[in-house]
Amino acid sequence: REKKMIRLATKNDINAIKIIEDECFLECWTENMLIDSMDNGCIMVVVELNEQIVGYAGVYPNGDITNVAVLKEYRGNGYGKLLVKELIKQASLNKIDKLFLEVRVSNLVAIKLYENCGFKCISQRKRYYKDGEDALIYAFGGV
């Protein structure tokens, strides 16, 4: 039987988080960037399946969501939603009342996820990503 758990990430999880970064993003964070973000107050959560980290997400004290990512083979199972809901919960526990994130205009799966979790599109940034793609800016809470 599958054992699923969502929890706060620790620095011991950095290697697993880096693997997810490398698989999911064109512009990846380095291990040092991930460690620095934790040192600077970024709250990271991971979802574990049978003791393997299959997804992670993070939010800074200012409400900026860093990344929400799930390994490709585990997508479509609700782990992304679990991560976003846990980030919202952790933000609330830490008195962060507004959340923001950027998402590629082409990332329709992520856009649907954020909208289903209560995020609203508030603006668009032209050529936000290094490859020239625009980003949509989403916000949650008190906006």
Side-chain angles (χ1 to χ4, degrees):
R1 205 170 158 253
E2 286 188 347
K3 193 176 120 196
K4 178 174 56 178
M5 176 172 71
I6 190 151
R7 62 172 174 78
L8 289 171
T10 69
K11 288 185 183 169
N12 292 335
D13 299 321
I14 292 295
N15 288 340
I17 291 170
K18 178 64 175 138
I19 290 168
I20 296 166
E21 266 290 305
D22 291 346
E23 182 182 291
C24 296
F25 299 109
L26 296 173
E27 300 168 28
C28 301
W29 288 35
T30 65
E31 286 185 20
N32 283 339
M33 289 166 74
L34 291 164
I35 291 167
D36 287 347
S37 69
M38 285 179 135
D39 288 344
N40 287 302
C42 185
I43 301 162
M44 286 194 193
V45 295
V46 294
V47 62
E48 278 183 345
L49 190 60
N50 301 325
E51 299 181 18
Q52 178 195 357
I53 294 174
V54 300
Y56 90 99
V59 63
Y60 279 109
N62 68 359
D64 281 340
I65 291 177
T66 58
N67 286 324
V68 176
V70 175
L71 289 171
K72 286 184 176 102
E73 67 183 282
Y74 295 98
R75 292 182 189 162
N77 294 301
Y79 300 128
K81 187 171 190 173
L82 199 62
L83 287 163
V84 172
K85 292 290 190 187
E86 184 65 21
L87 268 193
I88 292 168
K89 178 180 149 194
Q90 291 297 330
S92 176
L93 289 172
N94 286 276
K95 309 279 188 272
I96 304 167
D97 58 355
K98 294 177 188 162
L99 301 176
F100 299 92
L101 59 84
E102 296 91 15
V103 61
R104 288 177 176 272
V105 293
S106 65
N107 193 343
L108 302 180
V109 171
I111 290 167
K112 183 178 175 189
L113 165 68
Y114 301 135
E115 289 178 352
N116 285 341
C117 288
F119 283 77
K120 304 276 184 248
C121 185
I122 57 168
S123 67
Q124 184 167 346
R125 287 199 180 123
K126 296 286 183 195
R127 304 185 58 77
Y128 178 77
Y129 295 98
K130 285 182 184 162
D131 64 4
E133 187 170 355
D134 293 356
L136 296 175
I137 311 304
Y138 274 78
F140 178 90
V143 178

